[in-house]
Amino acid sequence: MNKKYSAEPYRIKMVEPIKETTREQREMLLKNAGYNPFSLKSEDVYIDLLTDSGTGAMSQEQWGAMMVGDEAYAGSKSFYKLESVVKNITGYQYVMPVHQGRGAEQVFLPQLVTKAGMYYISNIHFDTTRAHVELSGARAIDCVIEECFVMDKFHPFKGNFDLVQLNKVILDKGPENIAGIIMTITNNSAGGQPVSMENLKEVKKIANKYHIATIIDGARYAENAYFIKEREKGYEDKAIIDIAREMCSYADAFLMSAKKDGLVNMGGLIVIKDNEELFNKCKIRAIPYEGFPTYGGMNGRDIEALAVGLMEALDERYLKHRIDQVRYLGDRLIEAGIPIQFPIGGHAVFVDCKSIAPHIPADQFPALAVTNAIYLEAGIRAVEIGTLLMGRDPDTHENVGTKMEYMRLTIPRRVYTYKHMDVIADAVIHVYEHRNELNGFEFVYEPPILRHFTATFKPVK
Ligand code: P70
């Protein structure tokens, strides 16, 4: 391993064996799963790249901290420890744990929807965020820069908002009808692409002009801060935590699925800058849904692990290895001529299945076809981020559709080695070389909301 890709900054002291299956077994297992990788048992998966959410490995410090978890129902020591860490990172005043990201969404997002016909605007809403926007009675509009859809063209911040379009949408819909602007950092759906500090600052300026609240969806905020340090002028010598604090200064609230850059297996956060009234409203709604506001669905030991994990994820050596490892996988695919979102994002490599399988129409899910093929080839489980995930328009019931049909190879944090990346790359290259044999899928069962999680399919003959 050369300097280009830094080696693991840790030793491994506990291992979990992983099982290998035969191709015949996998054919049966996938059929029984209704051709939906979500329905596979994880023990039947060799390398699991379904998600980086809650799948990371905790450090010895985190495991140690769990021993002192305070399980008091209200006002636990663990909560105050977490509160102090989160206040330090964000510079905000009000902190509430929740059970995971969608817990934050279900408590927070309805607070700003004060009447019918409102909108949330984001660079791109991720799936559960979109679902909670819709459940709160609002509608979701995405406003990302066009470069995000030009896969092989370098842009340092492909997650950026299109500021002209943002202004236009606000004026078209009327500023009084915008519930909030959600800054998704990094921008998951666009390939884990970062948003620049300058862009966050400009979005905040626009929001201030129209008195609209800005909210950070900060699941992968530490990875975003690392990219700012790496790519944005003036930040080369800044500490990651200072970059994070500055990013937070351009928002009024910070929602987080802590299962990503919190380096824990379960947990989330609602953090509010200074609006006490809004925080009190969140507390009231949290109690019936998440729990008393000092535990919010988390237990004391997990809160302890989160307090430690948040700081570990801001460590530059950790972040460098993390980003390098994902980039190593992406570089291997690029060398083989496989079309991927470029530059490579923070948490995953996004493979462009529209150009791999142009013979499969969008409503037969080309990225699901490629995803199922790499499971059959090597027991690797990836996930579709395309027409299937985008779902249907809640009003017209047509497929929302998307310009991108991705297979996401999502890398769990501190779990796999560079050699695993080689195994993944070899499998994807094999499927790519046999791409003409791929076939599409059609629904056997289609759930009405968040359909990708539980749908079943059959191959199109
Ligand atoms: C992922 C998971 C969750 C997420 C997110 C952003 C930017 C909020 C949340 C919700 C979801 C997923 C997708 C496909 C397969 C498995 C899991 N993202 N905001 O992997 O957080 O899951 O904690 O409720 O990315 O990208 P939570």
Side-chain angles (χ1 to χ4, degrees), residues 18 26 47 107 114 123-124 160 184 189 199 223 236 243 251 263 287-288 308 323 343 348 359 374 405 454:
I18 44 182
R26 290 195 290 277
I47 299 177
V107 169
T114 49
N123 37 357
I124 306 187
N160 278 359
T184 311
S189 320
N199 194 252
E223 291 169 4
E236 308 80 349
I243 297 176
L263 290 176
I287 293 172
V308 176
I323 304 291
H359 57 287
I374 68 153
E405 302 287 354
T454 53

Side-chain angles (χ1 to χ4, degrees), residues 80-362:
Y80 289 107
K81 205 178 283 180
L82 176 70
E83 185 190 48
S84 133
V85 168
V86 174
K87 281 181 167 179
N88 180 32
I89 296 171
T90 57
Y92 292 4
Q93 286 184 39
Y94 302 107
V95 181
M96 191 192 304
V98 285
H99 83 281
Q100 63 181 100
R102 65 202 71 179
E105 289 161 359
Q106 71 158 343
V107 169
F108 182 90
L109 294 178
Q111 305 298 347
L112 305 182
V113 183
T114 49
K115 57 182 181 188
M118 293 190 84
Y119 300 86
Y120 273 104
I121 308 174
S122 180
N123 37 357
I124 306 187
H125 294 81
F126 200 60
D127 61 349
T128 57
T129 323
R130 176 177 292 276
H132 277 293
V133 164
E134 289 168 4
L135 287 169
S136 72
R139 291 292 174 257
I141 301 178
D142 295 337
C143 254
V144 75
I145 54 169
E146 207 42 46
E147 285 89 334
C148 160
F149 303 109
V150 191
M151 296 230 321
D152 50 358
K153 190 172 161 211
F154 181 86
H155 185 294
F157 294 102
K158 274 188 169 176
N160 278 359
F161 279 82
D162 180 331
L163 299 169
V164 175
Q165 204 196 339
L166 176 65
N167 238 311
K168 188 171 171 300
V169 171
I170 294 172
L171 291 175
D172 280 357
K173 302 295 181 194
E176 68 287 0
N177 295 320
I178 310 299
I181 301 175
I182 303 174
M183 304 151 149
T184 311
I185 58 174
T186 58
N187 190 353
N188 188 357
S189 320
Q193 297 293 318
V195 179
S196 72
M197 195 70 91
E198 199 202 336
N199 194 252
L200 293 175
K201 202 189 280 184
E202 290 303 316
V203 171
K204 181 64 178 161
K205 260 194 212 156
I206 295 172
N208 281 351
K209 182 170 155 197
Y210 298 111
H211 306 288
I212 298 169
T214 52
I215 302 122
I216 288 179
D217 178 348
R220 302 177 181 85
Y221 81 104
E223 291 169 4
N224 201 87
Y226 182 83
F227 282 119
I228 288 178
K229 185 174 168 101
E230 193 184 52
R231 297 179 186 170
E232 195 162 347
K233 215 169 161 289
Y235 292 91
E236 308 80 349
D237 299 323
K238 291 237 157 92
I240 300 288
I241 191 167
D242 293 333
I243 297 176
R245 205 175 295 123
E246 186 182 338
M247 294 185 323
C248 290
S249 75
Y250 302 123
D252 304 299
F254 180 92
L255 309 183
M256 183 182 191
S257 166
K259 300 170 71 170
K260 285 85 167 172
D261 281 352
L263 290 176
V264 288
N265 303 114
M266 191 52 72
L269 289 170
I270 297 176
V271 199
I272 292 177
K273 187 187 261 170
D274 52 15
N275 187 336
E276 191 180 3
E277 193 191 332
L278 178 60
F279 187 65
N280 286 339
K281 282 191 194 155
C282 289
K283 272 189 187 165
I284 293 165
R285 192 171 157 88
I287 293 172
Y289 287 105
E290 294 290 303
F292 190 76
T294 62
Y295 77 86
M298 293 184 74
N299 48 46
R301 47 188 176 273
D302 285 349
I303 290 177
E304 290 281 343
L306 176 55
V308 176
L310 282 167
M311 292 311 292
E312 287 182 2
L314 291 168
D315 179 89
E316 202 172 324
R317 270 183 79 214
Y318 154 77
L319 280 168
K320 176 162 173 35
H321 167 261
R322 162 80 177 146
I323 304 291
D324 280 0
Q325 192 184 47
V326 175
R327 190 164 45 80
Y328 174 79
L329 172 61
D331 284 347
R332 278 225 43 210
L333 299 186
I334 290 173
E335 274 162 31
I338 296 175
I340 64 170
Q341 173 67 298
F342 177 79
I344 296 143
H347 66 301
V349 175
F350 282 59
V351 180
D352 169 22
C353 299
K354 205 172 184 170
S355 47
I356 292 182
H359 57 287
I360 302 179

